Structure formats: structure tokens, C-alpha cells
Amino acid sequence: MERLSDISNIKAILSRHGFTFSRSLGQNFLINPSVCPKMAAASGAGKGVGVIEIGPGIGVLTCELAKLADKVVAIELDKRLLPVLNETLSEYNNIKIINDDALKVDFKSLIEREFPDMPVYICANLPYYITSPVIMRLLESKLNVGSITVMVQKEAALRLCAAVGTRQSSSITVAVNYYAQAEMLFGVSAGSFLPAPKVDSAVIRLNINKTPPVRVDDEAFFFKIIQSAFGQRRKTVLNSISFGLGIDKPKLSEVLKSSGIPENYRAEQLTLENFSDIANILSEQKR
Ligand code: SAM
């Protein structure tokens, strides 16, 4: 097969299959030949390693991953791409395509089934409409994976990689920091895709923490505290958390004081330790 990432080959393949792009499925395919090898090399794919890809499209990243890893399992929602992938990936015998929705797949059992005794990494050029839900789903499932390397919109990349306690941070920044160390790898211009999206993208890597950086007694409650604090991010955490979770203000004021958090602080000024302190003290009081 001629070089898959060449724009003329991609256009010819798509036209042969009568394929039309679905905007609602976030179908912007990579046509810049330098991006996929770089992404695959950064993903952890290598000898003795398994990789899960989400949304292979016509397989430009999939084949780069398959050149490095022992096995690649790619999950594609769009049935119309199955015959295309059959053709474009025909020379690889270490790729399995699963026609499913990444928001529904049970990744834990997929890993047990497809990659027993193999270190696993995740790598994807994510459809933009599901960036946050997919990332949170992967992190919350506490999968036994080394890292998650994803291409996302640049703005989302900045939010995901922001330091907790800075103005760029949001609830997803705090959640991501609990599960992983986020790293900005490189930018990708809008012109690298067909069709070109309106905004630039970036590739980031989430290096999964072996143990969380803070002790949290009740994770569900910890994440509720974070959500409510950022739910009204212009307000002080005293107001946003007490409003969001219906907690008595004087009681919350005491909790903030005992955690050394000034009452006039906003969510973006709090550290991961601050959030875990608030959650742990309040959940202790609930008992
Ligand atoms: N990896 C290809 C590339 O880099 O050119 C395609 C990336 S494109 C941004 C996103 C891909 O994800 C498309 O192939 C789309 O059909 C697929 N997709 C969209 N929603 C999905 C979902 N919920 N689960 C799995 N795949 C999905």
C-alpha cells in the first residue's frame, strides 16, 4: 500500500468507498504525514506492548502504532469505515478493529481479554465532541495502563495540562491531576486535517499515577466538591460549595479555616490538597 497519510491517497481511498465526512462524529482525518509517527513514538508503543486506539478513521495513526507495538486494538463507531480499514490496514496482522462506541466499551474487560500479561497504552486522535467524557471515563475506570496520549483541541489541551491552583485550571484539570501527570507534547495546526477544523490542536500525554497524590476517603464526594466549587467559579469557594452541595455556611467556614484556606478564595486558587482536605473533613463529619 502506498503511503497512507498522503493526501492524494486518502482522497482516492475515501472516494473509492463513497465516504462522506460526518461532522457529528468529529471526523477530521489527519493528512499531515509527520504527525502520526511522532504521536505513536510518544505513546509508549513498542516491543511487547499493546495499544488501544479510539477512532482509527482510515487508519493513519493505527498503522504507525502497529509498526511499533505487538498488538493494536482500535475502537471505531462508524460502520462505514470498516471496509475502508479492511483495505488500508490489510498488510498488518497485529491490528483488531472493534465496531463500538468508546463511551460504552468496558475497557477493563477489553484489556483483560485482548492484552493478558502485556503492558498497555492508549493513543488516539479523539473526536472533539467526546474529549472530556472519554478522558474522564478512561481515568475513572482506573485502567492498568501506562499513559494516555491524545490529540485534542488546543484550548482543551491547555485546560487539561494547566497547573492546579492557576487561572487556567478547571474541574477537569483537578480531576486529571488526581489520576495522572499531564504533559503538553506538541501543537498541530488546523491545516493538518481533512476537513480542516476551525481551531488548532495539540497532543498531550497523561502519565497515569501509580497512587493518587493525595489521600481521599470518599472519591465520589471529593469530585462533587470539585464540581460544585467550579460550578460557580466566579464566587468564593465558601459560596459555591455551600450553594452547590447545600452545606451550612458557618460549618463550611470552619472547615475552610481548619484547612488553612482563606474564605475569599475561588476554586481556581485551591490546590489538590485543599480539595482533599475539605472533602475528607466533611465526609468524616457525615459519619
Ligand atoms: N484517527 C483518525 C485520524 O487521526 O485521522 C481519525 C480521527 S477523527 C478526529 C475521530 C474518529 O473517531 C473518527 O473516525 C470517528 O468516526 C470516530 N468516533 C467518533 N465517535 C466515536 C465514538 N463514540 N467511539 C469510537 N469512535 C468514534
Side-chain angles (χ1 to χ4, degrees):
M1 152 96 34
E2 298 187 30
R3 221 155 67 134
L4 185 54
S5 51
D6 282 353
I7 175 81
S8 51
N9 287 336
I10 293 176
K11 282 187 170 163
I13 292 161
L14 293 178
S15 121
R16 210 164 43 246
H17 287 268
F19 183 84
T20 50
F21 292 96
S22 158
R23 198 198 279 241
S24 65
L25 287 180
Q27 289 177 340
N28 300 95
F29 294 171
L30 269 166
I31 51 165
N32 176 342
S34 70
V35 177
C36 292
K38 236 164 108 181
M39 231 181 132
S43 72
K47 263 206 163 332
V49 162
V51 180
I52 299 175
E53 186 194 358
I54 294 165
I58 68 158
V60 278
L61 175 60
T62 325
C63 66
E64 297 302 331
L65 293 168
K67 285 177 196 166
L68 302 177
D70 276 18
K71 180 174 177 181
V72 179
V73 172
I75 300 155
E76 175 56 61
L77 179 60
D78 190 347
K79 263 197 177 68
R80 299 174 307 151
L81 286 166
L82 302 185
V84 180
L85 287 163
N86 227 350
E87 176 184 333
T88 57
L89 303 176
S90 60
E91 64 194 69
Y92 297 89
N93 59 7
N94 59 343
I95 299 174
K96 179 170 180 176
I97 305 291
I98 297 180
N99 179 214
D100 208 339
D101 183 344
L103 290 174
K104 296 194 181 133
V105 169
D106 178 346
F107 284 96
K108 230 178 197 147
S109 42
L110 181 144
I111 289 174
E112 280 168 19
R113 193 177 62 242
E114 302 290 344
F115 305 104
D117 310 322
M118 224 190 237
V120 178
Y121 292 81
I122 298 177
C123 187
N125 172 8
L126 284 179
Y128 295 144
Y129 78 107
I130 50 166
T131 299
S132 301
V134 165
I135 290 178
M136 284 317 296
R137 194 151 189 275
L138 295 171
L139 292 173
E140 282 167 358
S141 309
K142 297 187 178 167
L143 305 172
N144 187 14
V145 298
S147 63
I148 302 172
T149 302
V150 281
M151 168 121 57
V152 298
Q153 286 190 342
K154 196 170 167 194
E155 201 186 310
L158 292 172
R159 213 169 36 244
L160 289 160
C161 295
V164 176
T166 64
R167 283 192 75 179
Q168 292 75 29
S169 66
S170 67
S171 55
I172 197 163
T173 316
V174 184
V176 162
N177 265 268
Y178 179 68
Y179 293 112
Q181 300 298 312
E183 213 184 326
M184 180 73 79
L185 297 184
F186 56 91
V188 180
S189 67
S192 299
F193 300 90
L194 181 75
K198 289 198 174 69
V199 293
D200 289 338
S201 296
V203 176
I204 64 168
R205 185 170 56 214
L206 307 177
N207 302 302
I208 304 299
N209 292 330
K210 294 243 178 310
T211 50
V214 290
R215 179 184 63 84
V216 171
D217 296 333
D218 178 345
E219 277 185 359
F221 186 58
F222 168 69
F223 287 114
K224 271 191 193 159
I225 296 276
I226 294 167
Q227 284 295 344
S228 61
F230 281 97
Q232 295 176 298
R233 62 181 297 151
R234 296 200 159 277
K235 293 196 171 172
T236 63
V237 278
L238 178 63
N239 283 326
S240 57
I241 297 175
S242 78
F243 174 82
L245 294 181
I247 298 169
D248 193 41
K249 256 193 209 174
K251 180 175 152 184
L252 184 58
S253 171
E254 274 309 307
V255 174
L256 294 180
K257 202 189 260 174
S258 65
S259 310
I261 303 165
E263 269 192 12
N264 62 349
Y265 264 30
R266 298 200 176 104
E268 64 199 32
Q269 293 172 284
L270 264 54
T271 63
L272 205 56
E273 288 77 11
N274 289 154
F275 282 111
S276 64
D277 284 347
I278 299 172
N280 289 345
I281 296 172
L282 285 170
S283 50
E284 176 67 35
Q285 289 177 359
K286 278 197 294 184
R287 278 186 208 139

